[in-house]
């Protein structure tokens, strides 16, 4: 957290967010001056990508609203802290899938859960399942098709369980040594 | 019955914090047993998401009521949905507040939260407005980097040739997947960017194995945020988790594409 905090103090999040697109605009500006034909080709290509993404992005926004109505970070936190056995796998997996926002917001909670005795397994399962983002599915499906998305999602959830078990087993092994 | 008081210091003499999200400590008291604990507030530095971090902390500590000077309606809504009552406009020292609370004489200006055991927040106009605002903010936060990525891809499409990419992604399944996983591990951020980059790479005949490994590691392995993960969860855990995630991305990518091919479905 210290690293993140000091970063945040040095560079404002808004500045950080616009730095990359601003740099791109500068590059485009230079290109338009030096080789206008190539620059307009590049801009046209970017425009086409945006047009293709327009409908999926609208769906993303609608899904975001629905998830924000029905799910709150605090409820996700409750998911994470509870359950043993199969619940101890499914609840952190569900929490990871429905969690939103940058990961550093979640680190203090994960740290606290660890201090309260939570094992490595639910924390690892939570972090791995952040790769599955329901509200971004329209964009993913637009690019890769729903069959691919379903297969990858199932394998990601299964993979998270494997990571959780491996980390748990390894940590227990170390404790014994 | 636990109450949490936003406080400027870690003891009973500390003043009640002016704002929940940015107060230095949360003083947590069990009014039945008298147990007292002062927990540093993770959002005290005032960075983005400070209020949410306080909410998460309160929930993880099993707090029933939060006492503070001010709490934004959005955060009060989060707490309400979690069954936590919020008492605002409170001043004085932590010790005074505890005594007043025990005697039922705490004069809070606003009772922002009402205890609710309901898991689902009631969908009313206020909730809808709040959700729309949050989503708009999330969406606007997502856009600048996405715009940058798309502009970069425009340049990529114009200046990078298929031959160049073929020299990196040679068509060797294992090697391509490994390269994809390496690229995904270096970069981080919103997964939507990995979908756009991956989708465009496919047009350059980069294999789906490589693209899938890139998409998986984009979120599950984070070299950029590794220092933060080490600070929060320990060096051993962070290194092992990232290492395992990297290794696992390769078989997951291969199995995904093999299944897709077996059932005869390609990507659009």
């Amino acid at each position: 957290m210290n690293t993140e905090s000091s970063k945040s103090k040095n560079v404002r999040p808004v500045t950080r967010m616009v730095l990359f697109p601003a740099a791109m605009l500068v590059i485009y500006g230079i290109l338009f001056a030096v080789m206008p034909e190539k620059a307009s080709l590049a801009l046209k290509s970017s425009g086409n990508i945006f047009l293709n993404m327009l409908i999926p992005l609208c769906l993303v926004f609608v899904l975001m609203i629905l998830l924000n109505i029905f799910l709150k970070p605090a409820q996700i936190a409750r998911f994470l802290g509870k359950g043993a056995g199969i619940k101890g796998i499914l609840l952190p997996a569900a929490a990871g899938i429905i969690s939103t926002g940058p990961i550093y917001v979640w680190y203090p909670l994960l740290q606290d859960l660890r201090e309260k005795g939570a094992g490595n397994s639910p924390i690892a399962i939570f972090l791995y399942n952040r790769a599955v983002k329901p509200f971004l599915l329209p964009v993913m499906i637009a690019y890769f098709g729903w069959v691919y998305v379903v297969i990858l999602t199932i394998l990601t959830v299964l993979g998270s369980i494997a990571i959780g078990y491996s980390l748990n087993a390894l940590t227990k092994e170390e404790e014994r040594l | 019955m636990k109450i949490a008081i936003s406080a400027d210091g870690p003891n009973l003499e500390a003043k009640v914090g002016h704002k929940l999200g940015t107060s230095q400590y949360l003083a947590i008291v069990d009014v039945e047993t008298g147990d007292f604990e002062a927990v540093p507030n993770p959002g005290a530095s005032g960075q983005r998401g400070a209020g949410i971090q306080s909410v998460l902390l309160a929930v993880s500590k099993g707090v029933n009521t939060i006492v503070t000077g001010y709490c934004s309606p959005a955060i009060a809504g989060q707490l309400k949905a979690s069954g936590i009552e919020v008492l605002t406009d409170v001043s004085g020292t932590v010790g005074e507040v505890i005594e007043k609370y025990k005697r039922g004489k705490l004069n809070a200006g606003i009772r922002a939260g009402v205890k609710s055991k309901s898991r689902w927040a009631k969908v009313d106009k206020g909730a809808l407005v709040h959700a729309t605002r949050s989503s708009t903010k999330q969406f606007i936060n997502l856009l600048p980097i996405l715009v940058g990525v798309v502009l970069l891809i425009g340049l990529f499409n114009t200046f990078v040739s298929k031959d160049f990419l073929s020299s990196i992604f040679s068509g060797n399944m294992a090697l391509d997947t490994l390269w994809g996983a390496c690229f995904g591990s270096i970069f981080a951020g919103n997964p939507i960017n990995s979908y756009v980059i991956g989708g465009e790479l496919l047009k350059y005949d980069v294999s789906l194995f490589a693209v899938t490994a890139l998409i998986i590691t984009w979120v599950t392995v984070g070299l950029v945020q590794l220092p933060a993960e080490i600070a929060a969860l320990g060096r051993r855990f962070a290194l092992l988790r990232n290492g395992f995630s990297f290794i696992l991305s390769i078989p997951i990518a291969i199995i995904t594409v093999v299944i897709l091919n077996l059932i005869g479905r390609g990507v659009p």
Side-chain angles (χ1 to χ4, degrees):
Chain A
M1 276 312 291
N2 292 340
T3 316
E4 284 293 333
S5 303
S6 56
K7 261 188 201 170
S8 304
K9 277 175 193 169
N10 293 337
V11 188
R12 285 169 59 87
V14 177
T15 317
R16 250 189 325 198
M17 250 180 352
V18 298
L19 214 59
F20 176 53
M24 281 299 124
L25 288 177
V26 170
I27 292 172
Y28 268 84
I30 296 168
L31 271 180
F32 266 107
V34 181
M35 40 178 95
E37 276 182 19
K38 286 268 186 189
S40 84
L41 265 179
L43 200 62
K44 201 176 163 191
S45 170
S46 299
N48 284 337
I49 295 169
F50 261 122
L51 282 178
N52 289 334
M53 282 173 63
L54 221 53
I55 293 171
L57 275 179
C58 292
L59 286 173
V60 164
F61 186 62
V62 172
L63 281 175
M64 271 180 173
I65 294 175
L66 289 175
L67 283 174
N68 276 324
I69 288 174
F70 292 110
L71 294 167
K72 311 284 177 200
Q75 290 165 336
I76 298 166
R78 283 188 199 278
F79 271 32
L80 250 178
K82 287 178 182 173
I86 190 78
K87 272 189 176 176
I89 295 167
L90 293 179
L91 292 182
I97 290 169
I98 58 183
S99 69
T100 54
I103 183 62
Y104 62 80
V105 170
W106 293 94
Y107 281 144
L109 172 82
L110 298 176
Q111 194 173 7
D112 188 60
L113 283 172
R114 162 75 65 73
E115 283 162 9
K116 278 164 66 183
N120 285 330
S121 179
I123 295 172
I125 290 174
F126 171 83
L127 289 171
Y128 204 84
N129 276 295
R130 281 178 53 83
V132 181
K133 284 286 146 275
F135 66 90
L136 293 179
L137 288 183
V139 176
M140 203 180 185
I141 290 169
Y143 272 108
F144 304 103
W146 67 269
V147 180
Y148 172 89
V149 172
V150 168
I151 296 169
L152 184 58
T153 303
I154 292 170
L155 288 177
T156 303
V157 176
L158 292 176
S160 77
I161 299 167
I163 296 263
Y165 270 108
S166 308
L167 271 171
N168 221 22
L170 210 75
T171 321
K172 274 184 186 165
E173 196 65 35
E174 276 167 14
E175 279 168 7
R176 245 180 269 142
L177 292 172
Chain B
M1 178 70 182
K2 280 185 178 177
I3 63 167
I5 305 159
S6 69
D8 291 342
N11 48 43
L12 293 171
E13 288 74 40
K15 296 259 187 211
V16 173
H18 175 64
K19 199 174 172 187
L20 174 65
T22 53
S23 292
Q24 293 298 312
Y25 290 88
L26 275 189
I28 298 169
V29 189
D30 190 319
V31 288
E32 281 140 14
T33 63
D35 288 345
F36 178 88
E37 182 188 9
V39 188
N41 189 353
S45 60
Q47 67 192 50
R48 259 176 77 207
I52 291 295
Q53 291 189 14
S54 303
V55 173
L56 295 174
L57 179 63
V59 170
S60 69
K61 293 284 179 189
V63 165
N64 306 95
T65 301
I66 280 187
V67 182
T68 184
Y70 170 78
C71 173
S72 73
I75 298 302
Q78 299 269 4
L79 289 162
K80 181 182 168 184
S82 311
I84 297 175
E85 186 183 33
V86 189
L87 307 180
T88 58
D89 272 3
V90 176
S91 55
T93 67
V94 171
E96 287 166 1
V97 168
I98 294 169
E99 280 312 307
K100 281 182 187 170
Y101 186 86
K102 279 181 183 170
R103 284 185 275 127
K105 290 187 175 176
L106 189 62
N107 291 320
I110 303 164
R111 286 180 178 262
V114 185
K115 284 185 183 179
S116 158
K117 293 290 176 192
S118 166
R119 174 168 287 185
W120 302 96
K122 193 181 168 190
V123 184
D124 52 24
K125 198 181 165 191
L128 186 65
V129 170
H130 172 61
T132 310
R133 271 192 201 147
S134 301
S135 307
T136 309
K137 205 173 156 187
Q138 269 176 278
F139 198 74
I140 289 171
N141 284 342
L142 173 154
L143 280 179
I145 302 289
L146 186 63
V147 169
V149 166
V150 171
L151 287 173
L152 182 65
I153 292 172
L155 291 176
F156 190 86
N157 285 344
T158 312
F159 291 98
V160 177
S161 67
K162 277 192 179 182
D163 291 343
F164 173 74
L165 274 177
S166 300
S167 65
I168 301 171
F169 297 97
S170 57
N172 179 313
M173 181 183 75
L175 213 59
D176 283 2
T177 314
L178 187 67
W179 271 119
C182 289
F183 282 124
S185 304
I186 296 165
F187 300 107
N190 198 302
I192 195 170
N193 298 321
S194 69
Y195 306 156
V196 180
I197 293 169
E200 295 302 316
L201 283 175
L202 285 179
K203 292 176 187 167
Y204 281 86
D205 296 335
V206 171
S207 74
L208 190 58
F209 294 107
V211 168
T212 308
L214 180 143
I215 290 171
I216 299 167
T217 52
W218 190 277
V219 177
T220 59
V221 183
L223 289 184
V224 176
Q225 64 236 18
L226 194 59
E229 188 173 338
I230 287 173
L233 301 168
R235 179 178 295 273
R236 194 151 196 92
F237 174 86
L239 292 178
L240 280 174
R241 194 197 69 76
N242 279 279
F244 278 151
S245 299
F246 179 85
I247 294 165
L248 193 67
S249 71
I250 294 165
I252 288 183
I254 292 172
I255 294 168
T256 301
V257 183
V258 166
I259 293 175
L260 203 67
N261 291 338
L262 279 177
I263 59 176
R265 298 292 288 258
V267 292

